[in-house]
Structure formats: C-alpha cells, structure tokens
Amino acid sequence: MSDDASSELRTQRAQRRTWVAGGVLLLLSVAVELAARGPLADLSPGKDWLFAAAVIVLVIGIGRGGSITAGRFVGTFSTTLLVVAPLTQSYWFALLPDSTGDLNAEEDAWVLVATAYFGILVLLALISVIAIVRARVIPAPWHWAPLWVMIWTPVTYAIGLAFFSAAPLGTPVASFGAIFSLYGPAAGVAFLGVLAVVLGMRCAPAAAPDGQWHHWFDDALPLAPLPQSNGSGTESPGNTAERSRSQD
C-alpha cells in the first residue's frame, strides 16, 4: 500500500471514529435533556456537558484528520468557546448587581448582560459554521447542516414562545407553544447527531477523491483486477490463462 493510500485510510478511520462518537454524544445530550423532568431534574446540567463533549470531539477529532474543521485554529477555537460558554452562564449573570431598589437600573443591567452574552454566542456560532463549511471535510450538502440548525433553533424557540404567550395557561395553544419551544431545538441537535453517525458509518470523504459515496465495508474487500483487452475487444490470452489458473 502506498503512503498516500495509507494516509487516506488513516484519515478515513479517524473521521469514522470521530463522527460516530460525536454523534452518539449529541444523541445522549438530547436524551438527557428530555429525561431531566420531575425527579430527574438534577440531570439537566448533564446535557450541556454531553453537548460540549460531543462538539469538542467533532472539532478536535479522534486521530489525525478526524476534525470537521480540518484542525484549523479559528474554527476549532471558536467552536470550543461556543459550547463552553453555556457552562459559564451562571458566572455571566453573577455580574449583575444586587438589588438596589432602582427597577430601571436593574432592568438595564439585565439587558446589558444578556445582550453581551447572547451576542457573543451568535458571533461564535457564525464563525463556527463558516469554518465548518470552508473546511469541506463534511461532504456537501451536509456541511451546511450546522447552519441549518443554527437558524432552526431560535426560530422554533421564538414560534413556541409566541404561541405560549398568545393564550392562557392550560389551553391547547399554550401547551403547543411550550412543547414546540422545548422539542424544536432538541430535534435540531438530534438531527445533527443522527447525521454524524450516518456519515461516519456510510461515507468516507477523504478516501473517495472522486467525491463518490461508498459503503464502509468496501475498503475491506479486495477488488479483482479488471481484464485487459488486446485492442480487438477480446481478452488477451495471458489474462485468460491467468484467470483459468485462479479458478483451478
């Protein structure tokens, strides 16, 4: 096996390990988020840790060549900051001053901190999705999937909140809004998780320079050489004899 073929095979295996592991962690984060209700509410922080672990695995990679950002510093660093930021949310809002009795001042402080926090998240998300698209590690059109989910998440949350606010509590409309705002973003993360697992199991972008898809077990099956023609449209006598010996 040539050095180039060996390098491509290592890259393919690294991508497979990385994408499957990252996808499974994303699905686990969704499962924990949906299960963290009632007596299991204490599990809620676990979804953020699992989501952060999944994204860090995907952008850093398990093995050389596994990173979905191609190991480029800007994309890897911004994406890591993006998933670590929610873990520090309590520290951000700890910057709010204690009650001063001035409701206007307290409201302004909340708006300032929230604007800074979510503004930084949006900026990091934009940098991250652009870096993933430019890296071209994930095959098209799926390298746009993080951008789709980035748009889907706030849209579903806003729609759910609008329905929830438009009707009294306990009505079907309010219930629909609450469910949509909860399960909409979770569906986006689940989509990324399933996509990562499927791509990891069924496609090997780096090992297919022609851009074609193939099943994961193709690399394990040695292919017989194609018969060579002698120019007259018939198989050469040497190839015929060699094939007869192999059959015997």
Side-chain angles (χ1 to χ4, degrees):
M1 182 181 292
S2 66
D3 292 341
D4 290 342
S6 177
S7 176
E8 289 179 352
L9 184 58
R10 286 195 300 269
T11 299
Q12 170 194 344
R13 289 173 176 170
Q15 289 176 341
R16 187 177 302 150
R17 289 192 300 265
T18 299
W19 297 357
V20 172
V24 170
L25 287 172
L26 286 174
L27 293 175
L28 285 176
S29 72
V30 174
V32 171
E33 179 181 2
L34 298 180
R37 299 288 182 271
L40 299 178
D42 292 339
L43 297 177
S44 183
K47 67 179 178 61
D48 294 329
W49 288 98
L50 286 170
F51 181 80
V55 175
I56 290 174
V57 165
L58 289 170
V59 298
I60 294 180
I62 303 176
R64 186 174 183 181
S67 170
I68 62 174
T69 59
R72 296 173 182 174
F73 175 77
V74 174
T76 302
F77 184 69
S78 62
T79 308
T80 302
L81 284 182
L82 175 64
V83 296
V84 170
L87 303 178
T88 64
Q89 184 176 7
S90 60
Y91 297 102
W92 280 81
F93 289 96
L95 299 174
L96 293 171
D98 295 332
S99 179
T100 60
D102 188 344
L103 297 179
N104 290 330
E106 293 179 9
E107 182 179 354
D108 292 341
W110 271 95
V111 170
L112 178 62
V113 172
T115 301
Y117 174 75
F118 289 107
I120 291 175
L121 288 184
V122 171
L123 179 61
L124 291 174
L126 286 173
I127 296 174
S128 300
V129 296
I130 292 173
I132 292 171
V133 171
R134 288 174 58 87
R136 297 184 182 276
V137 175
I138 303 174
W142 306 115
H143 61 304
W144 292 102
L147 179 61
W148 300 341
V149 175
M150 176 186 168
I151 297 172
W152 165 264
T153 299
V155 168
T156 55
Y157 186 79
I159 293 174
L161 186 61
F163 276 94
F164 181 76
S165 304
L169 291 176
T171 61
V173 174
S175 299
F176 169 79
I179 293 173
F180 195 74
S181 62
L182 171 64
Y183 291 102
V189 177
F191 166 73
L192 291 180
V194 172
L195 179 63
V197 172
V198 171
L199 290 179
M201 293 299 296
R202 297 192 61 85
C203 95
D210 58 354
Q212 299 298 319
W213 290 59
H214 61 277
H215 200 275
W216 62 272
F217 57 66
D218 288 345
D219 297 317
L221 299 176
L223 299 178
L226 295 175
Q228 298 179 359
S229 172
N230 58 10
S232 62
T234 61
E235 191 176 349
S236 63
N239 288 335
T240 304
E242 182 178 353
R243 185 175 63 177
S244 299
R245 286 195 301 269
S246 64
Q247 292 175 350
D248 294 338

